[in-house]
Amino acid sequence: MARPREFDEDAVLDAAVACFWRHGFDATSIRDLVGQTGLTAASLYNAFGDKRSLFRLALERYIAGGIGPRLARYEAAPPLDGVRGYLDDVVARSLDDPANKGCMLVNAALEFAAQDAEFRPLIIGTFGRIEAFFLDCVRRGQGDGSMTRTLAAEDLALHCLAVLMGVRVLARIRPERAVLNGVVAALLAALVARPEEGRDGAADRSERGMT
Amino acid sequence: MARPREFDEDAVLDAAVACFWRHGFDATSIRDLVGQTGLTAASLYNAFGDKRSLFRLALERYIAGGIGPRLARYEAAPPLDGVRGYLDDVVARSLDDPANKGCMLVNAALEFAAQDAEFRPLIIGTFGRIEAFFLDCVRRGQGDGSMTRTLAAEDLALHCLAVLMGVRVLARIRPERAVLNGVVAALLAALVARPEEGRDGAADRSERGMT
DNA sequence: GTCATTATAGAACGATCATACTAAAACGCA
DNA sequence: TGCGTTTTAGTATGATCGTTCTATAATGAC
Protein backbone atom coordinates (compact mmCIF):
# COMPACT_ATOMS: atom_id res chain seq x y z
CA MET A 1 0.00 0.00 0.00
CA ALA A 2 3.00 2.29 0.31
CA ARG A 3 6.53 2.65 -0.86
CA PRO A 4 8.64 -0.25 0.43
CA ARG A 5 11.94 -0.02 2.31
CA GLU A 6 14.99 -0.17 0.13
CA PHE A 7 17.29 -1.43 2.90
CA ASP A 8 17.63 -4.45 5.13
CA GLU A 9 16.90 -3.42 8.70
CA ASP A 10 19.19 -6.05 10.18
CA ALA A 11 22.11 -4.99 7.99
CA VAL A 12 21.56 -1.37 8.97
CA LEU A 13 21.44 -2.30 12.64
CA ASP A 14 24.65 -4.28 12.24
CA ALA A 15 26.30 -1.19 10.81
CA ALA A 16 24.94 0.86 13.70
CA VAL A 17 26.33 -1.69 16.16
CA ALA A 18 29.72 -1.39 14.48
CA CYS A 19 29.67 2.41 14.82
CA PHE A 20 28.45 2.55 18.42
CA TRP A 21 30.64 -0.34 19.46
CA ARG A 22 33.76 1.29 18.15
CA HIS A 23 33.20 4.89 19.18
CA GLY A 24 30.51 4.80 21.85
CA PHE A 25 27.31 6.80 21.89
CA ASP A 26 28.51 10.38 22.12
CA ALA A 27 31.41 10.09 19.70
CA THR A 28 29.23 8.51 17.01
CA SER A 29 27.52 11.18 14.93
CA ILE A 30 24.44 10.82 12.80
CA ARG A 31 26.71 11.55 9.86
CA ASP A 32 28.87 8.57 10.82
CA LEU A 33 25.78 6.41 10.87
CA VAL A 34 24.59 7.80 7.55
CA GLY A 35 27.96 7.03 6.04
CA GLN A 36 28.24 3.49 7.46
CA THR A 37 24.66 2.42 6.89
CA GLY A 38 24.41 3.91 3.42
CA LEU A 39 21.00 5.41 3.98
CA THR A 40 20.02 9.01 4.61
CA ALA A 41 19.38 10.73 7.89
CA ALA A 42 15.70 10.99 7.04
CA SER A 43 15.45 7.24 6.53
CA LEU A 44 17.31 6.58 9.76
CA TYR A 45 14.98 8.80 11.75
CA ASN A 46 11.94 7.46 9.98
CA ALA A 47 12.82 3.82 10.58
CA PHE A 48 14.52 3.86 13.99
CA GLY A 49 13.61 7.08 15.75
CA ASP A 50 16.24 9.34 17.23
CA LYS A 51 19.84 8.59 18.08
CA ARG A 52 19.10 7.23 21.53
CA SER A 53 16.52 4.71 20.38
CA LEU A 54 18.81 3.62 17.57
CA PHE A 55 21.53 3.07 20.15
CA ARG A 56 19.14 1.06 22.24
CA LEU A 57 18.27 -1.14 19.28
CA ALA A 58 21.94 -1.53 18.47
CA LEU A 59 22.81 -2.47 22.05
CA GLU A 60 19.95 -4.97 22.19
CA ARG A 61 21.15 -6.46 18.94
CA TYR A 62 24.69 -6.69 20.27
CA ILE A 63 23.44 -8.48 23.37
CA ALA A 64 21.20 -10.79 21.41
CA GLY A 65 23.93 -11.65 18.93
CA GLY A 66 26.99 -11.71 21.17
CA ILE A 67 26.28 -12.29 24.81
CA GLY A 68 23.11 -14.35 24.55
CA PRO A 69 24.58 -17.05 22.30
CA ARG A 70 27.70 -17.19 24.41
CA LEU A 71 25.66 -17.81 27.54
CA ALA A 72 23.66 -20.47 25.73
CA ARG A 73 26.80 -22.13 24.41
CA TYR A 74 28.14 -22.91 27.88
CA GLU A 75 25.09 -23.20 30.07
CA ALA A 76 24.99 -26.99 29.81
CA ALA A 77 28.73 -27.54 30.10
CA PRO A 78 30.35 -29.02 33.21
CA PRO A 79 30.72 -26.22 35.74
CA LEU A 80 34.41 -25.50 35.41
CA ASP A 81 34.26 -25.91 31.64
CA GLY A 82 31.39 -23.45 31.53
CA VAL A 83 33.34 -20.72 33.27
CA ARG A 84 36.52 -21.50 31.38
CA GLY A 85 34.71 -21.70 28.06
CA TYR A 86 32.93 -18.40 28.55
CA LEU A 87 36.11 -16.56 29.48
CA ASP A 88 38.26 -18.24 26.84
CA ASP A 89 35.64 -17.19 24.34
CA VAL A 90 35.87 -13.60 25.50
CA VAL A 91 39.65 -13.68 25.43
CA ALA A 92 39.67 -15.11 21.91
CA ARG A 93 37.24 -12.48 20.65
CA SER A 94 39.23 -9.73 22.31
CA LEU A 95 42.48 -10.88 20.75
CA ASP A 96 41.29 -11.19 17.20
CA ASP A 97 39.57 -7.82 17.05
CA PRO A 98 42.09 -5.45 15.47
CA ALA A 99 40.00 -2.45 16.52
CA ASN A 100 40.07 -3.46 20.20
CA LYS A 101 36.51 -2.38 20.73
CA GLY A 102 36.13 -4.47 23.86
CA CYS A 103 32.60 -5.27 25.02
CA MET A 104 29.91 -2.90 23.88
CA LEU A 105 27.96 -3.57 27.07
CA VAL A 106 30.89 -2.68 29.32
CA ASN A 107 31.63 0.37 27.22
CA ALA A 108 28.01 1.47 27.44
CA ALA A 109 27.92 0.78 31.17
CA LEU A 110 30.85 3.10 31.75
CA GLU A 111 29.70 5.77 29.31
CA PHE A 112 26.22 6.01 30.82
CA ALA A 113 26.95 4.49 34.22
CA ALA A 114 24.36 5.34 36.79
CA GLN A 115 23.00 8.59 35.46
CA ASP A 116 20.99 7.30 32.52
CA ALA A 117 17.67 5.91 33.69
CA GLU A 118 16.68 4.67 30.25
CA PHE A 119 19.63 2.35 29.64
CA ARG A 120 20.24 1.25 33.20
CA PRO A 121 17.71 -1.59 33.31
CA LEU A 122 19.02 -3.13 30.11
CA ILE A 123 22.64 -2.86 31.22
CA ILE A 124 22.04 -4.09 34.76
CA GLY A 125 19.72 -6.81 33.57
CA THR A 126 22.24 -8.17 31.12
CA PHE A 127 25.01 -8.23 33.68
CA GLY A 128 22.50 -9.96 35.91
CA ARG A 129 22.08 -12.70 33.31
CA ILE A 130 25.83 -13.19 33.15
CA GLU A 131 26.08 -13.27 36.93
CA ALA A 132 23.26 -15.81 37.04
CA PHE A 133 25.16 -17.97 34.58
CA PHE A 134 28.26 -17.89 36.77
CA LEU A 135 26.19 -18.53 39.87
CA ASP A 136 24.64 -21.57 38.24
CA CYS A 137 28.07 -22.88 37.29
CA VAL A 138 29.39 -22.34 40.81
CA ARG A 139 26.38 -23.96 42.48
CA ARG A 140 26.69 -27.01 40.27
CA GLY A 141 30.45 -27.05 40.74
CA GLN A 142 30.12 -26.91 44.50
CA GLY A 143 27.49 -29.62 44.30
CA ASP A 144 29.60 -32.06 42.30
CA GLY A 145 32.77 -31.31 44.25
CA SER A 146 34.68 -29.72 41.39
CA MET A 147 34.64 -26.24 42.93
CA THR A 148 35.68 -24.99 46.32
CA ARG A 149 33.12 -24.63 49.08
CA THR A 150 35.30 -22.37 51.18
CA LEU A 151 33.38 -19.36 49.89
CA ALA A 152 29.72 -18.63 49.29
CA ALA A 153 28.57 -19.37 45.76
CA GLU A 154 27.34 -15.80 45.44
CA ASP A 155 30.76 -14.38 46.21
CA LEU A 156 32.49 -16.69 43.77
CA ALA A 157 30.00 -15.79 41.06
CA LEU A 158 30.58 -12.10 41.70
CA HIS A 159 34.27 -12.76 41.54
CA CYS A 160 33.83 -14.35 38.10
CA LEU A 161 31.78 -11.37 36.97
CA ALA A 162 34.40 -8.92 38.19
CA VAL A 163 37.18 -10.84 36.48
CA LEU A 164 35.17 -10.88 33.28
CA MET A 165 34.79 -7.12 33.47
CA GLY A 166 38.45 -6.77 34.30
CA VAL A 167 39.42 -8.89 31.32
CA ARG A 168 37.34 -6.70 29.04
CA VAL A 169 39.03 -3.58 30.35
CA LEU A 170 42.49 -5.10 30.38
CA ALA A 171 42.03 -6.41 26.86
CA ARG A 172 41.52 -2.89 25.57
CA ILE A 173 44.76 -1.74 27.14
CA ARG A 174 46.99 -4.76 26.81
CA PRO A 175 45.53 -7.13 24.23
CA GLU A 176 48.17 -9.82 24.73
CA ARG A 177 47.36 -13.49 24.90
CA ALA A 178 49.72 -14.23 27.78
CA VAL A 179 48.22 -11.45 29.90
CA LEU A 180 44.60 -12.42 29.42
CA ASN A 181 45.27 -16.14 29.72
CA GLY A 182 47.12 -15.50 32.95
CA VAL A 183 44.13 -13.75 34.43
CA VAL A 184 41.77 -16.53 33.41
CA ALA A 185 44.12 -19.22 34.67
CA ALA A 186 44.25 -17.55 38.07
CA LEU A 187 40.46 -17.32 38.20
CA LEU A 188 40.05 -21.01 37.42
CA ALA A 189 42.64 -21.92 40.02
CA ALA A 190 40.63 -19.91 42.53
CA LEU A 191 37.49 -21.85 41.71
CA VAL A 192 38.70 -25.44 41.83
CA ALA A 193 38.22 -27.45 44.97
CA ARG A 194 41.32 -27.67 47.14
CA PRO A 195 42.78 -31.13 47.71
CA GLU A 196 41.68 -31.18 51.33
CA GLU A 197 38.05 -30.63 50.32
CA GLY A 198 36.00 -33.73 49.92
CA ARG A 199 34.98 -34.77 46.39
CA ASP A 200 31.84 -36.57 47.49
CA GLY A 201 29.25 -33.94 46.84
CA ALA A 202 27.50 -32.40 49.80
CA ALA A 203 28.54 -35.00 52.30
CA ASP A 204 31.24 -33.04 54.07
CA ARG A 205 29.45 -29.72 54.03
CA SER A 206 28.75 -29.92 57.74
CA GLU A 207 32.40 -30.21 58.66
CA ARG A 208 33.04 -26.50 58.20
CA GLY A 209 31.27 -23.57 59.75
CA MET A 210 29.63 -20.94 57.64
CA THR A 211 31.77 -17.84 57.14
CA MET B 1 56.89 42.39 34.93
CA ALA B 2 53.36 41.53 33.86
CA ARG B 3 49.87 41.14 35.20
CA PRO B 4 49.70 38.31 37.75
CA ARG B 5 47.26 35.37 37.74
CA GLU B 6 44.13 35.89 39.73
CA PHE B 7 43.39 32.21 40.28
CA ASP B 8 45.02 29.27 42.02
CA GLU B 9 46.18 26.80 39.41
CA ASP B 10 45.76 23.81 41.69
CA ALA B 11 42.19 24.77 42.56
CA VAL B 12 41.38 25.19 38.88
CA LEU B 13 42.92 21.81 38.09
CA ASP B 14 40.89 20.23 40.88
CA ALA B 15 37.75 21.64 39.32
CA ALA B 16 38.85 20.31 35.93
CA VAL B 17 39.45 16.89 37.48
CA ALA B 18 35.94 16.98 38.91
CA CYS B 19 34.44 17.77 35.50
CA PHE B 20 36.45 15.26 33.48
CA TRP B 21 36.12 12.59 36.16
CA ARG B 22 32.36 12.87 36.21
CA HIS B 23 31.59 13.24 32.53
CA GLY B 24 34.69 12.06 30.70
CA PHE B 25 36.58 13.95 28.04
CA ASP B 26 34.07 14.25 25.23
CA ALA B 27 31.05 15.02 27.34
CA THR B 28 32.83 17.81 29.21
CA SER B 29 32.58 21.07 27.32
CA ILE B 30 34.80 24.09 27.63
CA ARG B 31 31.72 25.91 28.86
CA ASP B 32 31.35 23.32 31.66
CA LEU B 33 34.94 23.94 32.63
CA VAL B 34 34.43 27.70 32.50
CA GLY B 35 31.45 27.35 34.79
CA GLN B 36 33.12 25.02 37.28
CA THR B 37 36.50 26.72 37.41
CA GLY B 38 35.11 30.23 37.54
CA LEU B 39 37.57 31.63 35.05
CA THR B 40 37.05 32.54 31.43
CA ALA B 41 37.76 30.47 28.36
CA ALA B 42 40.55 32.85 27.43
CA SER B 43 42.26 32.32 30.77
CA LEU B 44 41.84 28.57 30.52
CA TYR B 45 43.43 28.47 27.10
CA ASN B 46 46.12 30.91 28.11
CA ALA B 47 47.09 28.98 31.21
CA PHE B 48 46.59 25.34 30.23
CA GLY B 49 46.47 25.14 26.44
CA ASP B 50 43.67 23.39 24.63
CA LYS B 51 41.14 20.90 25.97
CA ARG B 52 43.36 17.87 25.45
CA SER B 53 46.31 19.25 27.36
CA LEU B 54 44.01 20.38 30.15
CA PHE B 55 42.65 16.85 30.31
CA ARG B 56 46.18 15.50 30.46
CA LEU B 57 47.01 17.80 33.35
CA ALA B 58 43.79 16.82 35.10
CA LEU B 59 44.47 13.10 34.63
CA GLU B 60 48.02 13.49 35.89
CA ARG B 61 46.72 15.36 38.90
CA TYR B 62 44.15 12.63 39.55
CA ILE B 63 46.87 9.99 39.41
CA ALA B 64 49.24 11.99 41.57
CA GLY B 65 46.54 12.70 44.14
CA GLY B 66 44.58 9.46 44.13
CA ILE B 67 46.48 6.46 42.87
CA GLY B 68 50.00 7.46 43.85
CA PRO B 69 49.26 8.00 47.54
CA ARG B 70 47.22 4.81 47.67
CA LEU B 71 50.14 2.83 46.28
CA ALA B 72 52.47 4.48 48.75
CA ARG B 73 50.11 3.78 51.63
CA TYR B 74 50.28 0.02 51.21
CA GLU B 75 53.67 -0.66 49.66
CA ALA B 76 55.28 -1.46 52.99
CA ALA B 77 52.39 -3.49 54.40
CA PRO B 78 52.52 -7.26 54.81
CA PRO B 79 51.73 -8.77 51.41
CA LEU B 80 48.15 -9.86 52.00
CA ASP B 81 47.38 -6.70 53.92
CA GLY B 82 48.77 -4.66 51.04
CA VAL B 83 46.42 -6.21 48.51
CA ARG B 84 43.49 -6.17 50.90
CA GLY B 85 44.18 -2.60 51.97
CA TYR B 86 44.43 -1.32 48.43
CA LEU B 87 41.20 -2.94 47.35
CA ASP B 88 39.31 -2.09 50.52
CA ASP B 89 40.39 1.47 49.95
CA VAL B 90 39.01 1.41 46.43
CA VAL B 91 35.77 -0.16 47.62
CA ALA B 92 35.37 2.43 50.35
CA ARG B 93 35.96 5.30 47.94
CA SER B 94 33.55 3.81 45.45
CA LEU B 95 30.81 3.42 48.02
CA ASP B 96 30.96 6.90 49.47
CA ASP B 97 30.95 8.72 46.15
CA PRO B 98 27.32 9.68 45.51
CA ALA B 99 28.13 10.54 41.89
CA ASN B 100 29.55 7.06 41.21
CA LYS B 101 32.29 8.42 39.04
CA GLY B 102 34.41 5.31 39.39
CA CYS B 103 38.10 5.59 38.58
CA MET B 104 39.09 8.40 36.24
CA LEU B 105 41.96 6.30 34.91
CA VAL B 106 39.71 3.36 34.04
CA ASN B 107 37.17 5.72 32.52
CA ALA B 108 39.86 7.38 30.44
CA ALA B 109 41.29 4.03 29.41
CA LEU B 110 37.95 2.93 28.02
CA GLU B 111 37.11 6.27 26.44
CA PHE B 112 40.40 6.52 24.58
CA ALA B 113 41.42 2.87 24.65
CA ALA B 114 44.00 2.01 22.07
CA GLN B 115 43.38 4.67 19.47
CA ASP B 116 44.83 7.67 21.24
CA ALA B 117 48.59 7.70 20.99
CA GLU B 118 49.00 10.71 23.25
CA PHE B 119 47.28 9.33 26.35
CA ARG B 120 48.25 5.69 25.94
CA PRO B 121 51.66 5.88 27.61
CA LEU B 122 50.30 7.62 30.68
CA ILE B 123 47.39 5.20 31.00
CA ILE B 124 49.43 2.07 30.37
CA GLY B 125 52.26 3.30 32.56
CA THR B 126 49.97 3.95 35.49
CA PHE B 127 48.35 0.55 35.25
CA GLY B 128 51.89 -0.77 35.07
CA ARG B 129 52.67 0.86 38.39
CA ILE B 130 49.62 -0.75 39.96
CA GLU B 131 50.51 -4.12 38.49
CA ALA B 132 54.05 -3.74 39.81
CA PHE B 133 52.64 -3.05 43.27
CA PHE B 134 50.56 -6.23 43.15
CA LEU B 135 53.51 -8.18 41.79
CA ASP B 136 55.67 -7.00 44.63
CA CYS B 137 53.00 -8.02 47.13
CA VAL B 138 52.65 -11.45 45.54
CA ARG B 139 56.39 -12.07 45.36
CA ARG B 140 56.80 -11.17 49.00
CA GLY B 141 53.74 -13.19 49.93
CA GLN B 142 55.03 -16.23 48.11
CA GLY B 143 58.38 -15.71 49.76
CA ASP B 144 57.05 -15.58 53.30
CA GLY B 145 54.56 -18.39 52.74
CA SER B 146 51.43 -16.32 53.14
CA MET B 147 50.40 -16.62 49.48
CA THR B 148 49.96 -19.62 47.25
CA ARG B 149 52.78 -20.79 45.03
CA THR B 150 50.58 -22.89 42.82
CA LEU B 151 50.56 -20.10 40.24
CA ALA B 152 53.20 -17.81 38.84
CA ALA B 153 53.49 -14.50 40.67
CA GLU B 154 52.94 -12.67 37.39
CA ASP B 155 49.60 -14.39 36.80
CA LEU B 156 48.43 -13.69 40.33
CA ALA B 157 49.41 -10.04 40.00
CA LEU B 158 47.51 -9.78 36.72
CA HIS B 159 44.57 -11.42 38.43
CA CYS B 160 44.67 -8.74 41.13
CA LEU B 161 44.82 -6.03 38.47
CA ALA B 162 41.88 -7.51 36.58
CA VAL B 163 39.82 -7.78 39.76
CA LEU B 164 40.66 -4.18 40.59
CA MET B 165 39.43 -3.11 37.17
CA GLY B 166 36.37 -5.29 37.55
CA VAL B 167 35.59 -3.74 40.93
CA ARG B 168 35.85 -0.30 39.38
CA VAL B 169 33.38 -1.24 36.65
CA LEU B 170 31.07 -3.18 38.96
CA ALA B 171 31.03 -0.33 41.45
CA ARG B 172 29.58 2.00 38.83
CA ILE B 173 26.76 -0.40 38.10
CA ARG B 174 26.05 -1.94 41.47
CA PRO B 175 27.58 0.22 44.19
CA GLU B 176 26.60 -2.10 47.02
CA ARG B 177 28.92 -2.95 49.88
CA ALA B 178 28.04 -6.64 49.95
CA VAL B 179 28.73 -7.02 46.25
CA LEU B 180 32.12 -5.35 46.24
CA ASN B 181 33.22 -6.96 49.50
CA GLY B 182 32.28 -10.33 48.10
CA VAL B 183 34.53 -9.84 45.12
CA VAL B 184 37.45 -8.74 47.26
CA ALA B 185 36.94 -11.59 49.69
CA ALA B 186 37.09 -14.08 46.84
CA LEU B 187 40.27 -12.51 45.52
CA LEU B 188 41.97 -12.72 48.90
CA ALA B 189 40.89 -16.32 49.30
CA ALA B 190 42.47 -17.05 45.94
CA LEU B 191 45.76 -15.55 47.05
CA VAL B 192 46.28 -17.20 50.42
CA ALA B 193 48.46 -20.26 50.67
CA ARG B 194 46.52 -23.51 50.81
CA PRO B 195 46.91 -25.62 53.94
CA GLU B 196 48.92 -28.27 52.12
CA GLU B 197 51.51 -25.72 51.03
CA GLY B 198 54.53 -25.38 53.24
CA ARG B 199 54.92 -22.23 55.29
CA ASP B 200 58.70 -22.40 55.36
CA GLY B 201 59.57 -19.96 52.64
CA ALA B 202 61.20 -21.34 49.51
CA ALA B 203 62.13 -24.69 50.98
CA ASP B 204 59.44 -26.78 49.34
CA ARG B 205 59.55 -25.03 45.98
CA SER B 206 61.28 -28.03 44.40
CA GLU B 207 58.53 -30.44 45.35
CA ARG B 208 56.21 -29.24 42.59
CA GLY B 209 56.85 -29.12 38.90
CA MET B 210 56.52 -25.95 36.94
CA THR B 211 53.22 -25.62 35.08
C1' DG C 1 54.84 58.12 34.66
C1' DT C 2 55.75 55.22 30.57
C1' DC C 3 56.58 50.80 28.45
C1' DA C 4 56.59 45.93 27.72
C1' DT C 5 54.21 42.02 29.04
C1' DT C 6 50.77 39.08 30.59
C1' DA C 7 45.88 38.20 32.32
C1' DT C 8 41.30 39.14 31.87
C1' DA C 9 36.55 39.78 29.89
C1' DG C 10 33.31 38.93 26.43
C1' DA C 11 32.01 38.63 21.91
C1' DA C 12 32.73 36.22 17.62
C1' DC C 13 34.33 32.45 14.61
C1' DG C 14 33.51 28.47 11.59
C1' DA C 15 32.44 23.74 12.21
C1' DT C 16 29.61 20.26 13.57
C1' DC C 17 25.89 18.48 16.27
C1' DA C 18 20.96 16.16 16.31
C1' DT C 19 16.90 16.84 14.14
C1' DA C 20 12.99 18.73 11.08
C1' DC C 21 11.22 20.21 6.72
C1' DT C 22 10.10 20.03 1.65
C1' DA C 23 9.54 17.49 -2.40
C1' DA C 24 9.94 13.89 -5.26
C1' DA C 25 9.62 8.85 -5.83
C1' DA C 26 7.71 4.25 -5.42
C1' DC C 27 4.61 1.05 -4.26
C1' DG C 28 -0.75 -1.50 -3.28
C1' DC C 29 -5.24 -0.81 -4.18
C1' DA C 30 -9.28 1.37 -6.31
C1' DT D 1 -4.96 5.36 -14.27
C1' DG D 2 -5.11 7.86 -10.38
C1' DC D 3 -5.10 7.88 -4.76
C1' DG D 4 -3.27 7.24 -0.25
C1' DT D 5 0.73 6.18 2.10
C1' DT D 6 5.36 5.68 3.12
C1' DT D 7 10.18 5.96 1.91
C1' DT D 8 13.57 8.64 -0.03
C1' DA D 9 16.81 12.67 -1.08
C1' DG D 10 18.62 16.95 0.02
C1' DT D 11 18.57 20.99 2.46
C1' DA D 12 17.68 23.92 6.37
C1' DT D 13 17.64 24.94 11.38
C1' DG D 14 18.92 26.34 15.76
C1' DA D 15 22.06 24.88 19.24
C1' DT D 16 26.45 23.93 20.85
C1' DC D 17 31.14 22.64 20.02
C1' DG D 18 36.39 24.09 20.62
C1' DT D 19 38.94 27.92 19.75
C1' DT D 20 40.40 32.74 18.68
C1' DC D 21 40.06 37.76 18.52
C1' DT D 22 39.78 42.46 20.37
C1' DA D 23 40.08 45.32 23.91
C1' DT D 24 40.98 46.43 28.59
C1' DA D 25 43.27 45.82 33.08
C1' DA D 26 47.07 45.01 35.99
C1' DT D 27 51.68 44.42 37.09
C1' DG D 28 57.51 45.11 37.27
C1' DA D 29 61.23 47.61 35.17
C1' DC D 30 62.99 51.93 33.81
Side-chain angles (χ1 to χ4, degrees):
Chain A
M1 179 138 99
R3 177 171 175 176
R5 293 251 162 96
E6 293 181 0
F7 59 88
D8 176 27
E9 294 193 22
D10 285 341
V12 168
L13 277 182
D14 283 336
V17 167
C19 284
F20 284 128
W21 193 357
R22 182 187 289 255
H23 301 112
F25 178 78
D26 251 357
T28 298
S29 71
I30 298 292
R31 282 171 177 78
D32 291 338
L33 294 163
V34 166
Q36 285 298 310
T37 61
L39 37 79
T40 66
S43 296
L44 270 178
Y45 275 84
N46 179 57
F48 303 104
D50 66 4
K51 189 184 175 186
R52 286 180 67 87
S53 52
L54 177 56
F55 181 84
R56 164 174 276 273
L57 291 169
L59 182 54
E60 285 170 348
R61 185 169 177 85
Y62 170 84
I63 293 167
I67 295 175
R70 181 151 46 224
L71 287 171
R73 200 173 313 142
Y74 298 106
E75 70 180 354
L80 267 175
D81 293 340
V83 175
R84 175 175 22 238
Y86 193 97
L87 279 147
D88 282 349
D89 221 26
V90 167
V91 168
R93 301 284 186 125
S94 298
L95 289 174
D96 70 10
D97 173 19
N100 262 117
K101 302 184 296 296
C103 172
M104 185 175 169
L105 181 67
V106 171
N107 300 349
L110 280 213
E111 183 168 2
F112 298 116
Q115 63 249 29
D116 195 298
E118 180 188 347
F119 293 126
R120 259 181 71 87
L122 178 59
I123 292 171
I124 292 184
T126 306
F127 281 123
R129 288 172 58 193
I130 300 174
E131 184 186 353
F133 162 78
F134 286 135
L135 184 56
D136 180 64
C137 287
V138 171
R139 287 216 176 106
R140 289 188 292 121
Q142 288 182 325
D144 70 13
S146 63
M147 289 188 188
T148 180
R149 290 190 211 93
T150 57
L151 283 116
E154 289 75 15
D155 287 353
L156 287 173
L158 283 169
H159 186 70
C160 292
L161 184 64
V163 169
L164 170 63
M165 291 171 168
V167 163
R168 304 238 74 157
V169 174
L170 198 52
R172 301 204 65 183
I173 299 163
R174 294 181 57 186
E176 307 156 30
R177 184 176 305 277
V179 167
L180 305 182
N181 281 346
V183 173
V184 173
L187 172 66
L188 293 171
L191 289 176
V192 298
R194 317 304 157 72
E196 79 276 11
E197 296 188 66
R199 297 290 168 100
D200 52 356
D204 67 345
R205 190 168 301 165
S206 57
E207 85 181 13
R208 67 183 71 259
M210 46 188 299
T211 314
Chain B
M1 182 144 82
R3 178 172 174 176
R5 293 249 162 96
E6 293 180 359
F7 59 89
D8 175 28
E9 294 193 22
D10 285 341
V12 168
L13 277 182
D14 282 338
V17 167
C19 284
F20 284 128
W21 192 358
R22 181 186 290 254
H23 300 112
F25 178 78
D26 252 356
T28 298
S29 71
I30 297 291
R31 283 164 180 80
D32 290 338
L33 294 163
V34 166
Q36 285 298 310
T37 61
L39 38 78
T40 66
S43 295
L44 269 179
Y45 274 82
N46 179 57
F48 304 104
D50 65 4
K51 189 184 176 188
R52 285 180 68 87
S53 51
L54 178 55
F55 181 83
R56 165 175 275 273
L57 290 170
L59 181 55
E60 285 169 348
R61 185 169 177 83
Y62 170 83
I63 293 167
I67 296 175
R70 180 149 50 224
L71 287 171
R73 201 173 313 141
Y74 298 105
E75 71 180 355
L80 266 174
D81 293 340
V83 175
R84 175 178 19 241
Y86 193 98
L87 279 146
D88 281 349
D89 221 28
V90 166
V91 168
R93 301 283 185 125
S94 298
L95 289 174
D96 70 10
D97 173 19
N100 262 118
K101 301 183 297 296
C103 171
M104 185 175 169
L105 181 66
V106 171
N107 300 348
L110 280 211
E111 184 167 2
F112 298 115
Q115 62 250 29
D116 196 298
E118 180 188 348
F119 293 126
R120 260 180 70 87
L122 177 59
I123 293 170
I124 292 184
T126 306
F127 281 123
R129 288 171 58 193
I130 300 173
E131 184 187 353
F133 163 78
F134 285 134
L135 184 56
D136 180 64
C137 287
V138 171
R139 285 215 176 107
R140 288 187 293 121
Q142 288 182 326
D144 69 13
S146 63
M147 289 189 188
T148 181
R149 291 190 210 93
T150 57
L151 283 117
E154 289 76 15
D155 287 354
L156 287 174
L158 282 170
H159 186 70
C160 292
L161 183 64
V163 168
L164 170 63
M165 290 171 168
V167 164
R168 289 302 213 169
V169 175
L170 198 52
R172 301 204 64 183
I173 299 162
R174 295 181 56 186
E176 307 155 30
R177 184 175 306 277
V179 167
L180 304 182
N181 281 346
V183 173
V184 173
L187 171 66
L188 293 171
L191 288 177
V192 299
R194 318 298 158 73
E196 79 275 9
E197 297 188 66
R199 297 289 168 103
D200 52 357
D204 66 345
R205 192 168 300 166
S206 57
E207 85 182 13
R208 67 182 72 258
M210 48 188 301
T211 312

